[in-house]
Amino acid sequence: DQQVKQNSPSLSVQEGRISILNCDYTNSMFDYFLWYKKYPAEGPTFLISISSIKDKNEDGRFTVFLNKSAKHLSLHIVPSQPGDSAVYFCAASEAGNQFYFGTGTSLTVIP
Amino acid sequence: KAGVTQTPRYLIKTRGQQVTLSCSPISGHRSVSWYQQTPGQGLQFLFEYFSETQRNKGNFPGRFSGRQFSNSRSEMNVSTLELGDSALYLCASSDGTSAHNEQFFGPGTRLTVL
């Protein structure tokens, strides 16, 4: 059973516009969420995280929003750049236990 | 600091064989987690080792096993390989001492089972 879901396998956005990547989860006990970015032939690299005590965390062009009642989080990238083209994974964990990853969303930023 | 390294990067085996993959974590990290990535399935958690002890385990059959050495290096073994074991195997290291530790991933080992 997939406890973390990314229902959009791919997303295309024009350079300079906003990219919004979505993630849904089923376990209400998850208390820590992360986003990773993955380029081909490389391992995922950490992008941004959020604890369940917050509903927003911002780091430069990247902002993660958490809606606990909807069990939904999203990653906003503004403005999008061609170098942002990659596969993005969201992940969640409960009390420091294993991380559950989504299936990923492939983002293409069109110059 | 050097990043997480995995060897080998690519591997081709045949059904029924066994394979051992190696992961060297970032210096000072005591936690190593292993993941299997297949198309459409995302990253599936295999197990986590912390200070030479398996701390968490995912839902994989017993053919998948691992261990961690005193220097925190970890190995993962898959016995009696099946075609469905073809995947990218990723390891990730972290400090492992708090509930919320960022994981740093290696480049992965691409295993192909023929």
Side-chain angles (χ1 to χ4, degrees), chain A residues 1 14 25 34 40 59 67 73 76 82 87 90 94 97 100 104 109:
Chain A
D1 62 335
Q14 289 285 340
Y25 60 96
L34 306 94
D59 183 2
N67 182 333
L73 69 157
H76 292 210
V87 177
C90 64
E94 172 195 348
N97 290 320
Y100 292 87
V109 180

Side-chain angles (χ1 to χ4, degrees), chain A residues 1-2 31-32 34 36 38 41-46 51-52 87 89 93 95-104, chain B residues 9-10 35 37 40-45 48 55-58 88 90 98-108:
Chain A
D1 62 335
Q2 197 75 21
D31 60 359
Y32 190 54
L34 306 94
Y36 281 87
K38 186 180 185 301
E42 295 181 13
T45 55
F46 170 76
S51 164
S52 60
V87 177
F89 292 96
S93 74
N97 290 320
Q98 70 178 80
F99 280 99
Y100 292 87
F101 281 78
T103 52
Chain B
R9 290 294 309 277
Y10 301 92
Y35 294 86
Q37 185 188 4
Q41 291 294 314
L43 279 71
Q44 302 289 314
F45 174 76
E48 180 208 5
R55 187 160 70 172
N56 286 299
K57 188 178 187 305
L88 179 68
L90 293 158
S98 76
H100 297 156
N101 282 134
E102 174 190 337
Q103 292 189 324
F104 296 84
F105 282 85

Side-chain angles (χ1 to χ4, degrees), chain A residues 22-85:
Chain A
N22 294 304
C23 181
D24 297 294
Y25 60 96
T26 57
N27 186 347
S28 59
M29 299 301 292
F30 285 148
D31 60 359
Y32 190 54
F33 305 86
L34 306 94
W35 284 93
Y36 281 87
K37 179 168 74 172
K38 186 180 185 301
Y39 293 117
E42 295 181 13
T45 55
F46 170 76
L47 202 52
I48 192 168
S49 65
I50 188 167
S51 164
S52 60
I53 62 173
K54 293 186 172 183
D55 54 19
K56 176 182 172 182
N57 189 26
E58 193 172 346
D59 183 2
R61 297 186 296 113
F62 302 91
T63 303
V64 56
F65 294 92
L66 176 62
N67 182 333
K68 289 185 287 295
S69 61
K71 298 194 188 69
H72 176 85
L73 69 157
S74 61
L75 174 69
H76 292 210
I77 306 174
V78 182
S80 300
Q81 300 174 353
D84 296 330
S85 297

Side-chain angles (χ1 to χ4, degrees), chain B residues 28-111:
Chain B
H29 283 186
R30 289 191 287 163
S31 168
V32 174
S33 297
W34 288 89
Y35 294 86
Q36 180 194 67
Q37 185 188 4
T38 54
Q41 291 294 314
L43 279 71
Q44 302 289 314
F45 174 76
L46 282 151
F47 29 67
E48 180 208 5
Y49 285 86
F50 179 80
S51 292
E52 302 179 66
T53 300
Q54 188 179 86
R55 187 160 70 172
N56 286 299
K57 188 178 187 305
N59 296 324
F60 277 80
R63 300 186 297 108
F64 293 81
S65 62
R67 59 178 177 168
Q68 188 180 33
F69 302 94
S70 59
N71 62 357
S72 293
R73 190 177 70 84
S74 177
E75 287 182 347
M76 190 192 90
N77 186 75
V78 188
S79 62
T80 320
L81 283 166
E82 300 176 0
L83 294 179
D85 296 334
S86 294
L88 179 68
Y89 290 88
L90 293 158
C91 85
S93 79
S94 70
D95 177 73
T97 56
S98 76
H100 297 156
N101 282 134
E102 174 190 337
Q103 292 189 324
F104 296 84
F105 282 85
T109 294
R110 171 74 62 186
L111 172 64

